[in-house]
Amino acid sequence: AMSVRMGKRVDPKFVNRLLAVNFEAMDGMGDRTMRPFLQDVVRFDGLVGSLLRSFQADPTFMPQIVAHVGIPTLAEWVG
């Protein structure tokens, strides 16, 4: 889901900002959140926690992330 569709261009600064905000949020949540993420395991608590912390850290960026990912995909992740 967090990929760039063929034919679509994304500002490289978007990707860098996304990674920076997300990794900072997960780092603050500890190894219980970071390790599953690095192993490509989606956990509800880690996903919701990192989204909330990312929103707190950079609230103006969340609408861009939601627009890129899409509400149906976020709903699928959350379950």
Side-chain angles (χ1 to χ4, degrees), residues 12-23 58-62 64-65:
K13 291 179 183 176
F14 172 84
V15 175
N16 292 340
R17 185 176 176 188
L18 175 66
L19 290 172
V21 169
N22 194 44
F23 273 99
D58 194 351
T60 62
F61 191 43
M62 266 306 125
Q64 293 175 47
I65 295 171

Side-chain angles (χ1 to χ4, degrees), residues 2 5 8 11-13 15 17 25 30 32-33 41 43 47-48 54 56 59 61 70 77 79:
M2 281 307 297
R5 292 179 180 85
K8 186 175 180 182
D11 183 352
K13 291 179 183 176
V15 175
R17 185 176 176 188
R32 179 173 153 79
T33 299
V41 175
R43 292 180 38 144
L47 176 62
V48 172
S54 295
Q56 290 172 337
F61 191 43
W77 283 350

Side-chain angles (χ1 to χ4, degrees), residues 13-77:
K13 291 179 183 176
F14 172 84
V15 175
N16 292 340
R17 185 176 176 188
L18 175 66
L19 290 172
V21 169
N22 194 44
F23 273 99
E24 185 176 329
M26 288 188 302
D27 186 47
M29 295 171 70
D31 196 46
R32 179 173 153 79
T33 299
M34 185 68 80
R35 188 174 303 273
F37 175 81
L38 294 175
Q39 296 172 339
D40 289 329
V41 175
V42 178
R43 292 180 38 144
F44 177 78
D45 59 340
L47 176 62
V48 172
S50 64
L51 285 173
L52 290 174
R53 285 180 180 233
S54 295
F55 179 73
Q56 290 172 337
D58 194 351
T60 62
F61 191 43
M62 266 306 125
Q64 293 175 47
I65 295 171
V66 172
H68 178 80
V69 174
I71 291 176
T73 301
L74 283 175
E76 182 181 325
W77 283 350

